[in-house]
Amino acid sequence: MLNKKITPLRIVYFFSFIVLVCAVVMNLTTKIQFISIIPYTKYVEAFVNSLCAILCIVIIIKPDLLILQYFVLTVEATITTLIGFVGIGTMVLMFFILTLFANGAFKKNLKKKIIILVIWWLLVAAGLYKPFGIKPVLFLLALTCMYTAMFLAIYDRLKASLSYLFPDKEIAASNIKLPPYGSEIDLSDYGLTERQIKFLTTYLYKGKSYDQIARENFISLSVVKKEMAFCCKAFGVKNREALMILLLQYKIKK
């Protein structure tokens, strides 16, 4: 089992840092002429990779800074693709989409976000046409479709395989009125305060311990336990694990 400080996410960004440092060295020492619509490609690529390498270190220290993760992934997916490394750029794109999915970014405004992602990637594809021609553009689009289909196939498989984690019978007490599973739920309707809602939506979903919640909010451990106990009681569940399973079955209104 990994140490609490050595998480898979930190490992990903540690090796990303190593890769980017190697990329900077290659950018500055290669004698091959870069082809791209980006002006001064060699130096711009080296600068961007250096910046993203530094941000990877920041993410390792502060893995909760999602905006930095999104920035690094979108910038690297874009610039890597535009210099002709279509396979690597598309792979980074898919990791970005998986990160958004894992963080629950698609729970609201799904269509709008998909449209934005499609427009962005089509613009990137268009940026390949002038320096490289139509073939890399078609390859990029085909590769993106293939990776997307692979992601959906794996998701469909995992969804079916992990269904045993959800109990067949009701989790909450029968006297608690809940909307149909899959619909939107407003936590404030169940008497929860803003702080309690924050604990559930910001910390519980990330699997943080009560100690971590207490430290990050500068409150005592007993206060966190009291707040979470109230949340469990409000939904008629016995513990935080049951509450997590219950809330995963709804779209939480923010």
Side-chain angles (χ1 to χ4, degrees), residues 123-242:
L123 290 173
V124 173
L128 285 172
Y129 179 73
K130 185 176 180 180
F132 297 105
I134 191 64
K135 292 181 180 178
V137 176
L138 295 177
F139 178 66
L140 174 66
L141 297 177
L143 196 60
T144 303
C145 291
M146 185 189 75
Y147 279 157
T148 303
M150 289 170 63
F151 162 65
L152 292 174
I154 293 173
Y155 170 73
D156 184 67
R157 182 72 175 177
L158 287 176
K159 185 178 179 182
S161 299
L162 298 178
S163 61
Y164 70 90
L165 292 174
F166 295 91
D168 295 329
K169 59 183 180 180
E170 293 287 339
I171 301 174
S174 57
N175 62 322
I176 304 297
K177 294 182 180 180
L178 294 167
Y181 289 155
S183 60
E184 189 174 64
I185 187 171
D186 189 343
L187 299 183
S188 62
D189 291 342
Y190 296 85
L192 272 60
T193 64
E194 289 186 8
R195 183 166 71 175
Q196 290 165 348
I197 293 173
K198 178 183 177 183
F199 286 174
L200 293 182
T201 57
T202 306
Y203 301 105
L204 184 64
Y205 270 84
K206 294 180 181 178
K208 292 196 173 185
S209 67
Y210 287 174
D211 285 333
Q212 289 175 304
I213 298 174
R215 287 197 302 270
E216 293 182 20
N217 288 273
F218 305 102
I219 56 178
S220 67
L221 179 60
S222 60
V223 171
V224 176
K225 289 182 177 179
K226 182 179 178 181
E227 296 282 36
M228 294 303 293
F230 180 88
C231 294
C232 290
K233 183 178 179 181
F235 287 96
V237 296
K238 295 181 179 180
N239 50 49
R240 61 177 288 177
E241 287 74 22

Side-chain angles (χ1 to χ4, degrees), residues 26-171:
M26 292 170 63
N27 293 150
L28 297 177
T29 59
T30 185
K31 296 181 180 180
I32 300 174
Q33 182 69 33
F34 282 95
I35 301 174
S36 174
I37 63 170
I38 303 171
Y40 305 103
T41 306
K42 178 178 180 178
Y43 301 104
V44 172
E45 176 78 3
F47 172 77
V48 171
N49 286 335
S50 300
L51 174 62
C52 289
I54 294 171
L55 293 179
C56 283
I57 296 298
V58 177
I59 293 170
I60 292 170
I61 298 171
K62 294 286 187 179
D64 293 336
L65 297 176
L66 297 181
I67 190 66
L68 288 188
Q69 294 182 42
Y70 298 157
F71 176 81
V72 169
L73 293 174
T74 53
V75 168
E76 283 298 327
T78 300
I79 197 166
T80 304
T81 302
L82 288 177
I83 64 171
F85 293 96
V86 173
I88 298 175
T90 310
M91 182 177 65
V92 176
L93 165 73
M94 293 313 300
F95 183 67
F96 171 55
I97 293 175
L98 286 170
T99 301
L100 289 173
F101 178 80
N103 290 333
F106 295 123
K107 289 182 178 180
K108 296 182 66 176
N109 302 319
L110 175 61
K111 291 183 179 179
K112 181 180 179 180
K113 290 173 182 176
I114 290 178
I115 290 172
I116 292 173
L117 286 171
V118 169
I119 292 174
W120 162 51
W121 203 238
L122 286 175
L123 290 173
V124 173
L128 285 172
Y129 179 73
K130 185 176 180 180
F132 297 105
I134 191 64
K135 292 181 180 178
V137 176
L138 295 177
F139 178 66
L140 174 66
L141 297 177
L143 196 60
T144 303
C145 291
M146 185 189 75
Y147 279 157
T148 303
M150 289 170 63
F151 162 65
L152 292 174
I154 293 173
Y155 170 73
D156 184 67
R157 182 72 175 177
L158 287 176
K159 185 178 179 182
S161 299
L162 298 178
S163 61
Y164 70 90
L165 292 174
F166 295 91
D168 295 329
K169 59 183 180 180
E170 293 287 339
I171 301 174

